[in-house]
Amino acid sequence: CKTTVMDTSDPGVTFDHEGNCQFVQMYRTREALEVLRGEEGRKRFELLASRIRRRTGIDCICGVSGGVDSSLVLLRAVQAGLRPLAVHMDNGWNDELAVSNVEALVRTLGVELHTEVLDWPTFRDLQRCFFLASVPNVEIVTDHAICATLFGLAARTGVRHILSGSNLSSEAFGPTNAGHDNKDWTHIKAIQRRFSSGSLRAYPHLSTVRFASHILLSRVRFIPVLNYLDYNRDLAKAELSAVCGWRD
């Protein structure tokens, strides 16, 4: 591709007359619809913060991995006067530096932390099933558990807003053969049944019906905060390091 790193190793890639793959136009279309920069973005974020803010208790939920994207979202939420609940997922593969970053963030910012520790035998067996299945995206089993945990906590606390580190700048698209959506519980169950006789009762999950209920009835929303800020990863790392002792 003339603009991106995509090439024909992705069997679904196509090119236009300018030599650009289909993802270039996809990005530009999404950017025009989803990304606000400068003063316009700042005002949108301030308006969102005013709508999210509650009189008492936590205002919102922030998933925090210890990486730069989610860490900056937590910092911006606190700077906007919100009271977030930080949620961290421990799937048994936690990196010590990431955990140290999460602890530094919540301590410095005065934020409550909920750590969801997955049942290791269950999760290990499920990961093994996905490796045996040879599907492209073995991270589905972690991402699905994160999604289920965030929506479950939103339901328990009555919070309607989940602030997300997902952003168009650093993760606009993936290859066409990247695998199923991580919310596909039917896909997860089918692979587990084929390669294991174990139980998934200890694994946090979200059925299609339950997900629809959260979105349509409870009106829980993911807010892509970084799409409304002039997001620069290098500047974000420097700020997080200076303010919270965050390490890359």
Side-chain angles (χ1 to χ4, degrees):
C1 175
K2 180 180 178 182
T3 302
T4 74
V5 298
M6 300 301 290
D7 58 27
T8 51
S9 61
D10 177 354
V13 74
T14 59
F15 299 96
D16 62 20
H17 66 282
E18 295 179 346
N20 286 321
C21 69
Q22 71 265 38
F23 299 109
V24 175
Q25 185 57 48
M26 182 187 302
Y27 174 84
R28 290 171 179 167
T29 300
R30 289 189 61 191
E31 183 183 37
L33 294 173
E34 301 174 29
V35 177
L36 299 175
R37 304 190 189 281
E39 186 67 12
E40 187 180 12
R42 186 185 63 80
K43 288 182 178 179
R44 169 64 67 88
F45 179 56
E46 290 178 351
L47 178 61
L48 284 169
S50 68
R51 292 176 176 174
I52 292 170
R53 199 174 292 116
R54 306 166 85 189
R55 291 184 179 180
T56 59
I58 64 170
D59 302 303
C60 55
I61 291 172
C62 292
V64 183
S65 67
V68 60
D69 296 351
S70 61
S71 297
L72 185 65
V73 169
L74 187 65
L75 175 60
R76 291 289 182 263
V78 172
Q79 290 174 335
L82 297 175
R83 297 181 301 274
L85 171 64
V87 180
H88 180 67
M89 172 70 72
D90 181 355
N91 66 358
W93 293 105
N94 264 11
D95 177 77
E96 290 184 11
L97 179 54
V99 174
S100 175
N101 280 340
V102 172
E103 292 173 348
L105 282 164
V106 298
R107 182 176 60 251
T108 303
L109 301 176
V111 171
E112 181 182 351
L113 173 66
H114 171 90
T115 299
E116 185 77 10
V117 181
L118 297 186
D119 179 75
W120 175 239
T122 300
F123 182 75
R124 180 179 60 187
D125 182 63
L126 188 55
Q127 265 197 327
R128 174 181 171 274
C129 292
F130 268 68
F131 278 114
L132 291 173
S134 295
V135 291
N137 186 2
V138 297
E139 276 298 284
I140 281 179
V141 293
T142 294
D143 294 338
H144 183 91
I146 290 172
C147 189
T149 297
L150 293 174
F151 275 104
L153 284 169
R156 273 182 267 165
T157 58
V159 167
R160 291 178 46 217
H161 298 91
I162 300 171
L163 304 192
S164 171
S166 298
N167 65 94
L168 202 66
S169 296
S170 64
E171 47 190 21
F173 60 83
T176 60
N177 58 347
H180 284 264
D181 186 281
N182 65 58
K183 293 183 289 297
D184 193 340
W185 178 230
T186 300
H187 174 62
I188 294 172
K189 288 191 297 182
I191 289 178
Q192 192 269 348
R193 280 197 301 266
R194 180 170 180 180
F195 294 100
S196 174
S197 59
S199 170
L200 288 174
R201 281 193 293 269
Y203 174 76
H205 60 274
L206 198 62
S207 68
T208 302
V209 172
R210 189 63 178 160
F211 177 69
S213 174
H214 285 305
I215 296 295
L216 300 177
L217 299 181
S218 301
R219 300 181 65 81
V220 177
R221 294 290 184 267
F222 271 97
I223 308 296
V225 171
L226 300 182
N227 282 350
Y228 310 132
L229 307 173
D230 292 325
Y231 182 42
N232 180 297
R233 287 174 68 88
D234 292 332
L235 293 178
K237 290 176 183 180
E239 182 180 1
L240 287 165
S241 178
V243 175
C244 303
W246 182 93
R247 292 182 294 158
D248 198 357

